[in-house]
Amino acid sequence: VTGPSTFLGLDVGGTYLKGARLSGSGALLARLHEPIRKESPQSLLGQLTEAVQKLECDGSAAGLGLGLPGIVDLRTGRLRNAPNVPVLNGVDLSRELESRTGRPAFLENDANAAALAEAWLGAGRGAETLLYVTLGTGVGGALVFQGRVWAGRGGFAGEIGHLQVDPAGLPCGCGSWGCVETIVGIAGWVRRAREASSRRRSALSLHPQLTPEVIVNEARAGDAVALEVVDGAAQALAVALAGTLNLVNVERVVIGGGVAQAGDFLLDRVVAETRRRTFAHVFEDATFRLAELGGDAGAMGAARVGMIGVQAA
Ligand SMILES: [Zn+2]
């Protein structure tokens, strides 16, 4: 290969596999998006290997990164806590992929990968320190300092979704209770909207299927019950953000994930509630932005993980 190196990223989700090929300066050269084949470790490894071949049309890839829906245990390099792709639990994925593709492969938690992409090419550009929060089925988070994920000793750092914000709250999948995720995860929005609209008159009861998007739209249209649900979610997230900001004093907060597509209506409330709970100087140091890279953030960030891994090796 004579041209400059490129880097491949694969974002392994519960439903889809997304891929990206990036130049060394971050230009998006190719993308991939297909349903995931997770029937067995072999079917998924086969799909990942094929995806590398599809993305790497010219043999220029110097390395690849994978964003995974679980925690990558930094002690063992293996995936843990991955309820959405249980076939990968315990698989030595980087070694398997290296032997199948002939490229060095590096693993990262998917929220950490998306945070790296936003820090480099998206809403975190220009910031030395960043807190990333992703709002979806779960609530993920990541800390990026000087362009690198701060993953802590074992890889678990940044999990803002599992800060306890309601000591009287519901059990959480992590083993604790009353975590941000029990309120701000999609199931939390839907449960709270159902409860509130069963007690009081609300346009929410007209919807056969409730989603955060429906709830935010009804709140925006003036439904008092829907607004209460939005404000409850904003407040729960703000309690966690304020505590985190007071602890780490970062300069940028980026909020992404599907639920963040609710846009400024949600963000403005989160920011206002965070302000009330944060040291004034700490709040002023931080700017809050919605993520910019959308559904490509995970794959682009995974490519960045590959780039960082190759450069460090
Ligand atoms: Zn939890």
Side-chain angles (χ1 to χ4, degrees):
V1 180
T2 50
S5 295
T6 64
F7 300 88
L8 308 182
L10 295 172
D11 180 20
V12 181
T15 315
Y16 291 103
L17 172 67
K18 296 179 189 172
R21 182 159 62 101
L22 290 188
S23 74
S25 59
L28 182 57
L29 303 172
R31 306 163 72 204
L32 173 144
H33 187 175
E34 54 193 42
I36 199 140
R37 302 203 305 259
K38 57 177 181 179
E39 304 77 43
S40 66
Q42 292 313 314
S43 66
L44 187 48
L45 283 167
Q47 182 181 24
L48 296 175
T49 308
E50 285 167 27
V52 168
Q53 289 158 358
K54 287 180 197 166
L55 286 167
E56 192 197 23
C57 45
D58 61 355
S60 68
L64 59 127
L66 274 92
L68 300 161
I71 304 292
V72 178
D73 188 325
L74 296 178
R75 299 175 186 89
T76 63
R78 298 192 186 211
L79 188 64
R80 292 164 43 134
N81 301 63
N84 294 323
V85 277
V87 294
L88 286 180
N89 272 318
V91 175
D92 192 344
L93 201 50
S94 56
R95 179 186 288 185
E96 291 282 352
L97 281 172
E98 283 175 9
S99 73
R100 286 160 190 252
T101 66
R103 300 282 181 275
F106 302 88
L107 312 184
E108 185 56 272
N109 164 261
D110 52 7
N112 289 353
L116 281 174
E118 291 289 344
W120 186 33
L121 303 166
R125 276 190 316 273
E128 290 272 290
T129 55
L130 174 144
L131 168 64
Y132 175 75
V133 183
T134 173
L135 305 178
T137 304
V139 176
L143 290 163
V144 178
F145 300 150
Q146 271 103 29
R148 298 288 185 272
V149 170
W150 197 79
R153 169 79 177 91
F156 282 76
E159 289 294 325
I160 193 169
H162 297 283
L163 294 190
Q164 189 186 57
V165 292
D166 180 5
L170 293 172
C172 180
C174 72
S176 180
W177 67 96
C179 295
V180 172
E181 189 167 293
T182 65
I183 300 167
V184 186
I186 288 177
W189 283 81
V190 172
R191 176 181 46 76
R192 291 172 50 256
R194 280 216 188 91
E195 283 170 8
S197 62
S198 70
R199 292 194 306 268
R200 287 154 58 202
R201 198 178 179 78
S202 164
L204 291 177
S205 52
L206 303 175
H207 293 273
Q209 198 179 2
L210 288 174
T211 62
E213 189 186 6
V214 165
I215 298 162
V216 169
N217 284 340
E218 290 295 353
R220 199 185 271 125
D223 186 87
V225 172
L227 185 58
E228 205 175 277
V229 175
V230 173
D231 282 340
Q235 197 175 94
L237 183 55
V239 169
L241 282 174
T244 305
L245 286 175
N246 277 350
L247 191 69
V248 294
N249 192 190
V250 293
E251 65 184 284
R252 188 75 47 83
V253 177
V254 175
I255 300 185
V259 177
Q261 286 165 11
D264 289 338
F265 188 81
L266 178 62
L267 182 68
D268 290 349
R269 284 171 166 72
V270 170
V271 173
E273 292 289 340
T274 303
R275 170 175 226 146
R276 300 172 59 203
R277 295 169 169 83
T278 310
F279 284 129
H281 284 94
V282 168
F283 181 83
E284 279 158 24
D285 282 341
T287 49
F288 293 74
R289 298 211 183 138
L290 293 169
E292 292 176 3
L293 302 177
D296 287 325
M300 293 171 75
R304 178 67 167 161
V305 168
M307 188 183 306
I308 291 169
V310 167
Q311 285 165 357

